[in-house]
Amino acid sequence: MPAEGTGQTLREALPEPRTDLDPRYSSPGATPTPWPEAVAQLAESEIFWLSTVRPEGRPHVTPLLAVWLDGSLHFTTGGEERKARNLAADPQVVLTTGVNRDDEGRDLVVEGEAVRVVDENRLARLARAWREKYGPEWHFEVRDKAFWHEGGGRALVFEVAPVTAFGFGRGPGSYSQTRWRFTR
C-alpha cells in the first residue's frame, strides 16, 4: 500500500540505511554511493546471481531474474530445484548483480534472508512487475500461493529484504566500496 502522497510503498518509505565508505578499498577522494542510486540499479538490472548454502555446507550459485519491489528483491524457483531445497535448510542468501568490466560500473551485493511470498495480492503485484520488466514471455498466473507459468509449471516466490548491502564502484583510476546497513 503506498505511503500517503509519496507514491512509494511503506517498505520503500523506511529510513535510508546507514551508509559507509570503506577507505581501505576506495580511491582517495572517493565518495559513498547513495542508496537511491543502488536501488535504481537493482530495479534495472536483469541478471542476478543467487548464492545459497547446500545442507552439507557447500555453496551453490546460480543466475536468475529478480524484481525490486517494496524495498526488497524477489526471485522465483521451482519447489524441487536445488536452490529451493537449500533455502528450506538455510534461508540466508546473497544476491549479486553488476558489470563484468574492471574500468566502469558498479557491482552490488545484497545479503539477507529469503522469505517465501504467499499473499496472493502481493504475488499478483509481483507477477505484473515481472511482466513489465522482462516482457510478455514472463507472464505468470497466481494460484495456490505461487506463480504458474504456462510452459514451466509452478514457481515459488521469495523476498530478500536487504540486511547489509555492498556497492563496488569502478571508473577510470577510481574505486569505491560502499556498505549499507539496514535496521528493520
Side-chain angles (χ1 to χ4, degrees):
M1 160 179 305
E4 191 171 332
T6 67
Q8 296 179 315
T9 65
L10 292 174
R11 191 171 283 147
E12 289 173 324
L14 289 172
E16 290 212 15
R18 177 178 164 191
T19 302
D20 297 299
L21 181 75
D22 191 329
R24 298 173 299 171
Y25 308 110
S26 301
S27 300
T31 58
T33 301
W35 179 241
E37 287 182 26
V39 167
Q41 184 177 344
L42 290 169
E44 294 170 8
S45 292
E46 293 183 8
I47 302 296
F48 292 78
W49 292 86
L50 174 71
S51 300
T52 59
V53 178
R54 297 172 192 261
E56 74 278 3
R58 290 185 306 125
H60 177 260
V61 181
T62 188
L64 49 67
L65 307 179
V67 169
W68 179 264
L69 185 70
D70 295 343
S72 297
L73 280 169
H74 299 80
F75 66 89
T76 66
T77 182
E80 298 304 316
E81 290 184 37
R82 165 53 50 204
K83 54 188 168 286
R85 295 192 320 258
N86 292 349
L87 293 171
D90 183 349
Q92 298 303 311
V93 300
V94 177
L95 281 154
T96 60
T97 192
V99 178
N100 194 20
R101 297 188 46 94
D102 183 47
D103 60 350
E104 68 180 4
R106 179 186 316 112
D107 296 325
L108 297 173
V109 176
V110 175
E111 300 174 348
E113 180 177 339
V115 177
R116 185 148 170 240
V117 178
V118 295
D119 177 79
E120 293 200 353
N121 289 325
R122 280 194 66 214
L123 288 169
R125 289 181 57 232
L126 285 162
R128 285 190 299 276
W130 243 274
R131 192 172 49 252
E132 288 170 11
K133 183 174 182 179
Y134 293 105
E137 62 273 13
W138 292 97
H139 172 76
F140 295 107
E141 297 294 326
V142 174
R143 65 178 189 265
D144 301 325
K145 300 181 180 185
F147 280 177
W148 289 82
H149 190 270
E150 184 177 302
R154 184 173 191 247
L156 307 178
V157 180
F158 288 88
E159 170 186 24
V160 179
V163 173
T164 304
F166 296 91
F168 301 91
R170 294 179 305 284
S174 177
Y175 295 89
S176 65
Q177 180 178 310
T178 304
R179 176 176 31 206
W180 299 279
R181 292 185 189 132
F182 299 82
T183 8
R184 301 230 180 235

